[in-house]
Each structure stands twice: as structure tokens, then as C-alpha cells.
């Protein structure tokens, strides 16, 4: 293995972190190897598992040089993961190609939306609905998001959706656009995602007439926010 040790103003490379994976590049681990020089050539010592102490040391070096502003609607942030709240608003929904002709007629019509919780985690994009106005906590119970194209896992069927490449707080508007500017074609599972007594078209007509999507029309899941952001 060729190892290049960079020396910038007497900065010395002391360790290397190497990612080991299976042949498919999926499951694996990260090992830390001490670097040394033998006969003028760099050499790697036997690897040891990366620990929390190693990560802490990296954070204390130049890995993080400044604080990052976190918007108030962001409720959780991790590596390639984040969760945020989208407050009640009125947005057009796209139903181009919807199998239900009555629903398809709503295409592009601005409609009141419920309060929502979006979660991007390890490449998976999920959505839930929220009751009330309070900032959600780990104990907050989540409801089904009342939309087509949502699987029973609450993951969004992305289809032709253009998901942003980045998962940073500043990218939240782009993730929102990727969701709301996709076409809602049909239910992705057999779960009834709304408690309204009428049809799906009648649900949105009622929300439009009321000027809001009422909390009483939401259906509870058996999940809390803590379970969603803390699970695998």
C-alpha cells in the first residue's frame, strides 16, 4: 500500500483511518492505524477499532472549525441524517397521473397541509404528521402523513423524485420541493391514512373549505419521535 505523509508547516501525519467493507462495499468497519517511518518509508501498524475517544480527538482538531447555524424547525441532526418540522401551510399538490379521476382533478390546486415531520436517514426519506403546535420531543406521538405514495414504513416512494445530494440544514428547502413537486399517484399500501369519513377527494375538499387540515382527521401510528430518530 502506498501511503503519502503530508507535511504542512511541521504538521505530522500520525494515524490513518481505513474503512474495511465486504466485497459489495456494504457492511464493514473503520480501523485506526498508527503511522511510522522505517528506512525512509511510511508504514502502517496493526489496526485497532475506532472508538469514541478517537472521534472526539478528531472533533477537537481542524475537522470542525466553526459552529453551524441550526434553524428552529430542525429537531435532529446526525451523519447523513436529519429531521425537521414543516409547519401548517397551504401548498399545491400534484396529482398528475392519479388513478382516481376525482383526485386527479385536484392537480396543482393549493390545499391546506397538516403539520409534518420529515426524516432523512441513511438515504431513506420518510414523512409523518404531527398534532398540536409544540416543538416535538422524543415522547411526541406521530401520525400517518395523509398522502399517496407513502409505504407502510412511512418511507416515501421516490419514484422519479429528484432527491438532493446533500443532507445539511441548508438543503431542507430542496428536500421539501422534491416531496411536494412530485406527483401523488396512488396509495402505496392498504393503510388508511386519514380519519375523515369521506373519500380522499372529499378529505381535501373539506380541508380547503375549512382553511386548514384538522388534527382530528389524522390517524395515529404506534411510533414516537424518539423511536423514529433513534431506531435503525
Amino acid at each position: 500500500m502506498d501511503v503519502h505523509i503530508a507535511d504542512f508547516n511541521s504538521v505530522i501525519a500520525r494515524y490513518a483511518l481505513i474503512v474495511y467493507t465486504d466485497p459489495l462495499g456494504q457492511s464493514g468497519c473503520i480501523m485506526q492505524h498508527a503511522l511510522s517511518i522505517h528506512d525512509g518509508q511510511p508504514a502502517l501498524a496493526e489496526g485497532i477499532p475506532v472508538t469514541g475517544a478517537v472521534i472526539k480527538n478528531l472533533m477537537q482538531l481542524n475537522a470542525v472549525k466553526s459552529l453551524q447555524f441550526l434553524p428552529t424547525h430542525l429537531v435532529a441532526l446526525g451523519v447523513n441524517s436529519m429531521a425537521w418540522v414543516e409547519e401548517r401551510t397551504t401548498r399545491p399538490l400534484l396529482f398528475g397521473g392519479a388513478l382516481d379521476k376525482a383526485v386527479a382533478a385536484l392537480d396543482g390546486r393549493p390545499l391546506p397541509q397538516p403539520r409534518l415531520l420529515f426524516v432523512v436517514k441513511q438515504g431513506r426519506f420518510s414523512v409523518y404528521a404531527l398534532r398540536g403546535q409544540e416543538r416535538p420531543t422524543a415522547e411526541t406521538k406521530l401520525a400517518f402523513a395523509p398522502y399517496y405514495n407513502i409505504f407502510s414504513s412511512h418511507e416515501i416512494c421516490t419514484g422519479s423524485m429528484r432527491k438532493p445530494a446533500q443532507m445539511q440544514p441548508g438543503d431542507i428547502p430542496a428536500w421539501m420541493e422534491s416531496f411536494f413537486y412530485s406527483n401523488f399517484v396512488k396509495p402505496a399500501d392498504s393503510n388508511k391514512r386519514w380519519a375523515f369519513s369521506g373519500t380522499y377527494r372529499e378529505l381535501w375538499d373539506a380541508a380547503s373549505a375549512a382553511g386548514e387540515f384538522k388534527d382530528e382527521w389524522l390517524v395515529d401510528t404506534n411510533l414516537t419521535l424518539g423511536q423514529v430518530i433513534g431506531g435503525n
Side-chain angles (χ1 to χ4, degrees):
M1 174 184 293
D2 293 329
V3 179
H4 175 67
I5 298 181
D7 185 356
F8 303 107
N9 298 323
S10 299
V11 175
I12 301 173
R14 297 185 182 277
Y15 302 98
L17 298 182
I18 299 180
V19 179
Y20 296 87
T21 71
D22 62 22
L24 296 179
Q26 297 177 351
S27 60
C29 65
I30 302 175
M31 301 291 284
Q32 173 187 328
H33 298 260
L35 286 170
S36 60
I37 300 293
H38 294 288
D39 298 326
Q41 296 296 320
L44 292 177
E46 184 177 351
I48 61 174
V50 170
T51 64
V54 173
I55 301 301
K56 183 178 180 180
N57 287 337
L58 289 174
M59 297 291 286
Q60 291 174 340
L61 295 172
N62 289 330
V64 177
K65 295 184 177 180
S66 62
L67 296 175
Q68 182 179 17
F69 175 77
L70 299 181
T72 56
H73 58 293
L74 186 72
V75 297
L77 181 64
V79 178
N80 293 326
S81 304
M82 61 182 177
W84 70 92
V85 173
E86 172 75 0
E87 298 295 345
R88 291 177 176 84
T89 187
T90 296
R91 282 181 175 269
L93 292 182
L94 303 183
F95 292 103
L99 301 184
D100 185 324
K101 292 183 179 180
V103 173
L106 292 172
D107 185 42
R109 178 173 159 185
L111 297 167
Q113 305 299 311
R115 193 174 187 227
L116 300 170
L117 174 80
F118 288 90
V119 180
V120 180
K121 188 174 182 182
Q122 304 301 323
R124 299 189 296 270
F125 191 18
S126 304
V127 61
Y128 306 83
L130 293 167
R131 289 188 172 85
Q133 301 288 341
E134 300 80 11
R135 179 178 173 81
T137 67
E139 291 73 34
T140 298
K141 295 180 179 180
L142 306 179
F144 285 93
Y147 301 105
Y148 284 175
N149 297 22
I150 310 295
F151 296 113
S152 56
S153 63
H154 308 281
E155 189 173 344
I156 299 164
C157 177
T158 53
S160 60
M161 181 187 297
R162 291 187 176 182
K163 295 192 298 183
Q166 302 297 319
M167 296 184 195
Q168 298 297 323
D171 301 308
I172 288 177
W175 282 94
M176 297 303 306
E177 287 191 8
S178 72
F179 177 73
F180 281 108
Y181 286 95
S182 60
N183 281 296
F184 299 94
V185 178
K186 63 179 181 178
D189 60 25
S190 59
N191 290 318
K192 185 174 183 184
R193 297 179 167 272
W194 59 92
F196 186 78
S197 59
T199 65
Y200 195 56
R201 167 60 191 264
E202 290 169 341
L203 168 69
W204 290 111
D205 284 341
S208 182
E212 64 174 331
F213 194 106
K214 296 184 178 181
D215 284 355
E216 64 195 62
W217 297 336
L218 297 174
V219 176
D220 288 327
T221 69
N222 60 352
L223 297 171
T224 64
L225 174 57
Q227 290 172 315
V228 168
I229 64 176
N232 296 324

